[in-house]
Amino acid sequence: VKERGRDGYLLYSAEMEEVAQHSLFIQSELRGAIAEKQLSLVYQPIVDCRGLVVCVEALLRWNHPQMGNIPPSTFIPLAEGSGLIEELGEWVLLEACAFINTLQETGVLLDAVAINVSARQFNQGEFAEDLLKVLHRLGIKPNAIELELTEYALLTNLDVVKQAMDKLRQAGISIAIDDFGTGYSSLSYLQSLPLSRLKLDASFVSKIDVNESSNAIVKAIIDMAHGLNLNVVAEGVETQTQYEFLLQHGCDSFQGYLFSRPLKQADIVNYIESVAVN
Ligand code: C2E
Ligand code: CA
Ligand code: CA
Ligand code: CA
């Protein structure tokens, strides 16, 4: 049985069983993570062509007492699958709002703090109303928030999506399409939805100067976005070569390890202030 299991069906199903068990375990641990204060937000700067921080993206971290840091790419999909994403999303929103208030008290000026919203969260009936209520209650101006949505959020009824987005946009919240270029939806939504920004996916950025066709795609996306009056943020900028190419082709802002990794609250405030002075 062992021999057969080495590369055969038996091992495969045992592995699948293990993965499923592990997922269930993580899901049940995640349920307690908020109450146990195991979650935190880190913030990554998005800089303009002068290196000034125009925006920061809030990114969720989970530090489990036994398992250590569990990456969001592992637990966000599990949260989406188990209905925990609403609770998690609400926690992220409240935490980011507290940070926005701290920034205001410190006198730090940013265009916005960007928050990731999962498709499942966004497609909940009352998302826009609930969000605006929370902001009102906390005294946060809606224009201090930018929402990052992937194209998956647009795959359902486009009329419903548009209604929610119009409501958010009218209130002053800006909306960015995250991971642009990796989704499967048709591009026609770019014309009909009230978007502010495209985030050029890191997979394109990482191929800059690797081959001509990658360069052509990057250029085409930037030009198309500008033609539609959308800003472009390049994600995952890691090298000077990538940065210079993007700059040269009119990309509006930049995010990636070349500038900074995501930072804890106190460190991001220091970062924003230090680049502002230099
Ligand atoms: P994302 O929204 O595309 O976020 C960018 C990811 O790229 C982050 O990974 C960030 O740490 C990483 N990154 C930034 N610069 C670089 C770089 O130069 N090189 C490389 N290799 N990576 C870079 P992270 O924090 O692990 O988050 C992964 C994904 O998890 C996010 O992708 C987002 O889809 C999701 N996520 C994170 N926080 C939240 C949240 O609060 N809510 C929801 N719904 N999703 C979240
Ligand atoms: Ca994002
Ligand atoms: Ca992204
Ligand atoms: Ca991504």
Side-chain angles (χ1 to χ4, degrees), residues 33-35 37-41 60-61 85-97:
I34 295 179
K37 300 204 185 335
Q38 296 165 6
L39 300 177
S40 61
L41 289 182
L60 192 52
R61 294 292 177 263
I85 194 66
E86 281 84 21
E87 203 183 324
L88 222 54
E90 170 139 353
W91 185 88
V92 169
L93 175 64
L94 294 177
E95 191 67 17
C97 284

Side-chain angles (χ1 to χ4, degrees), residues 57 116 148 178 199 235:
E57 178 178 1
N116 291 286
E148 296 193 2
D178 207 349
K199 298 195 77 177
E235 301 193 280

Side-chain angles (χ1 to χ4, degrees), residues 185-227:
S185 47
S186 112
L187 288 176
S188 62
Y189 71 84
L190 291 175
Q191 273 186 314
S192 51
L193 297 177
L195 306 171
S196 311
R197 236 190 268 282
L198 294 189
K199 298 195 77 177
L200 176 64
D201 191 68
S203 60
F204 299 112
V205 174
S206 70
K207 288 189 206 101
I208 286 174
D209 263 16
V210 172
N211 56 52
E212 252 323 297
S213 60
S214 310
N215 289 3
I217 291 178
V218 170
K219 281 190 260 183
I221 292 178
I222 294 171
D223 287 345
M224 177 193 64
H226 288 164

Side-chain angles (χ1 to χ4, degrees), residues 41 44 57-61 71-73 76 80 85 92 115-118 121 148 150 178-179 201 235-238 255-258 260 262:
L41 289 182
Q44 190 177 31
E57 178 178 1
L59 294 159
L60 192 52
R61 294 292 177 263
S73 54
I76 297 279
E80 286 176 338
I85 194 66
V92 169
I115 299 174
N116 291 286
V117 176
S118 86
Q121 219 184 326
E148 296 193 2
T150 65
D178 207 349
D179 303 344
D201 191 68
E235 301 193 280
V237 182
E238 292 184 345
Q255 179 178 9
Y257 296 165
L258 181 64
S260 169

Side-chain angles (χ1 to χ4, degrees), residues 41-46 53-60 92-93 95-97 99-100 103 110-117 142-149 173-178 197 199 233 235 255:
L41 289 182
V42 289
Y43 299 90
Q44 190 177 31
I46 299 173
V53 182
V54 285
C55 185
V56 296
E57 178 178 1
L59 294 159
L60 192 52
V92 169
L93 175 64
E95 191 67 17
C97 284
F99 178 57
I100 289 170
L103 287 177
L110 289 180
D111 289 348
V113 171
I115 299 174
N116 291 286
V117 176
N143 65 12
I145 303 258
E146 178 159 311
L147 302 180
E148 296 193 2
L149 291 164
I173 293 180
S174 37
I175 301 168
I177 295 297
D178 207 349
R197 236 190 268 282
K199 298 195 77 177
V233 184
E235 301 193 280
Q255 179 178 9

Side-chain angles (χ1 to χ4, degrees), residues 17-191:
E17 175 69 21
E18 216 170 276
V19 169
Q21 284 299 329
H22 189 61
S23 297
L24 278 180
F25 177 69
I26 289 184
Q27 268 175 0
S28 75
E29 289 297 291
L30 191 52
R31 244 171 260 281
I34 295 179
E36 305 285 331
K37 300 204 185 335
Q38 296 165 6
L39 300 177
S40 61
L41 289 182
V42 289
Y43 299 90
Q44 190 177 31
I46 299 173
V47 304
D48 67 10
C49 59
R50 297 165 298 173
L52 295 174
V53 182
V54 285
C55 185
V56 296
E57 178 178 1
L59 294 159
L60 192 52
R61 294 292 177 263
W62 178 16
N63 189 252
H64 185 276
Q66 281 87 44
M67 294 184 284
N69 284 318
I70 302 171
S73 54
T74 301
F75 70 82
I76 297 279
L78 293 173
E80 286 176 338
S82 62
L84 276 171
I85 194 66
E86 281 84 21
E87 203 183 324
L88 222 54
E90 170 139 353
W91 185 88
V92 169
L93 175 64
L94 294 177
E95 191 67 17
C97 284
F99 178 57
I100 289 170
N101 278 329
T102 306
L103 287 177
Q104 264 152 16
E105 283 158 20
T106 324
V108 173
L109 292 176
L110 289 180
D111 289 348
V113 171
I115 299 174
N116 291 286
V117 176
S118 86
R120 164 129 182 199
Q121 219 184 326
F122 186 77
N123 285 312
Q124 266 225 311
E126 308 284 272
F127 177 81
E129 290 84 351
D130 290 350
L131 173 60
L132 293 172
K133 266 186 225 155
V134 169
L135 297 183
H136 184 74
R137 176 159 61 83
L138 299 176
I140 304 269
K141 292 199 194 80
N143 65 12
I145 303 258
E146 178 159 311
L147 302 180
E148 296 193 2
L149 291 164
T150 65
E151 288 164 275
Y152 295 106
L154 317 178
L155 285 181
T156 49
N157 190 335
L158 205 61
D159 287 340
V160 176
V161 167
K162 181 168 158 47
Q163 249 175 33
M165 282 192 183
D166 284 339
K167 192 169 289 175
L168 293 165
R169 185 62 179 268
Q170 271 156 27
I173 293 180
S174 37
I175 301 168
I177 295 297
D178 207 349
D179 303 344
F180 182 77
T182 61
Y184 298 100
S185 47
S186 112
L187 288 176
S188 62
Y189 71 84
L190 291 175
Q191 273 186 314

